Amino acid sequence: MEQLDVTPDRLAGTWHIVCSSFPMWQGDRRTDATFTYGPMPSGSSGAPRMSDDVGYRTRSGRHRHILGVDTRLTARPGSVYRWRGRGVLAVLSSEWEVREMGADDAWAVIVFSRSLVTPAGADVVVRADRLDDRAVIADALEAGVRHEAPRVPGFEPRDRPDPHPER
């Protein structure tokens, strides 16, 4: 498999989860999940870093966020990152890797390892500004099949408004 070089600048922006094997996104308790990445200054080791904001809507319609920082593990082949939570979640960490990127970086497959509180799995994400592109969605859904990540409940490929307009 070809090793990707996916930098924080390349990941910057908001991505919508369209397929996932992660149980948190497969029920109806948390919907309209997004990842928003923003480049940050390198850490003391010189490794590239980025902010990581996982947003979602609860069943009651409230917006929730899980904040963290991702640090690229430059000694590892490929595009592997270590996520560390912020605030009360600072004790938690996990590793994830970008395994595939679509044309023009319109979609990506993120594979994550098991952590203390989560199982291993895969998410397929699509850039917020590409959700109305049927070819992009079709390619992303095919990637979901390849990575055994089913479509998330409630995801419909057409004319989806931004679920987090307050950003």
Side-chain angles (χ1 to χ4, degrees):
M1 177 187 332
E2 176 187 343
Q3 298 293 321
L4 296 176
D5 182 20
V6 184
T7 63
D9 287 336
R10 196 168 164 192
L11 286 170
T14 298
W15 302 76
H16 290 255
I17 302 173
V18 298
C19 298
S20 181
S21 63
F22 189 48
M24 185 169 171
W25 308 132
Q26 284 300 325
D28 65 351
R29 293 182 58 196
R30 296 171 194 91
T31 61
D32 299 321
T34 60
F35 296 157
T36 301
Y37 300 116
M40 297 174 61
S42 294
S44 58
S45 69
R49 299 183 320 151
M50 62 187 164
S51 62
D52 185 327
D53 179 345
V54 178
Y56 60 92
R57 188 183 308 268
T58 65
R59 188 182 298 155
S60 66
R62 296 183 67 175
H63 296 283
R64 296 284 188 217
H65 298 272
I66 300 169
L67 303 177
V69 173
D70 297 307
T71 302
R72 185 150 181 198
L73 303 180
T74 54
R76 304 260 304 268
S79 296
V80 180
Y81 287 84
R82 175 171 290 124
W83 175 85
R84 175 149 320 266
R86 284 194 164 169
V88 297
L89 298 178
V91 297
L92 300 177
S93 70
S94 64
E95 289 185 9
W96 59 274
E97 177 180 6
V98 180
R99 286 275 174 89
E100 284 189 60
M101 293 287 285
D104 300 322
D105 294 348
W107 58 268
V109 175
I110 296 171
V111 175
F112 46 92
S113 62
R114 182 180 180 281
S115 76
L116 184 63
V117 295
T118 62
D123 293 327
V124 179
V125 295
V126 174
R127 286 197 183 273
D129 63 351
R130 301 299 296 273
L131 285 173
D132 60 351
D133 186 324
R134 291 198 178 280
V136 166
I137 297 301
D139 288 347
L141 294 175
E142 286 178 25
V145 170
R146 282 193 302 278
H147 291 273
E148 299 179 5
R151 184 186 300 201
V152 296
F155 174 73
E156 293 301 325
R158 60 190 131 119
D159 302 326
R160 292 174 44 85
D162 185 350
H164 309 292
E166 74 278 1
R167 288 189 198 183

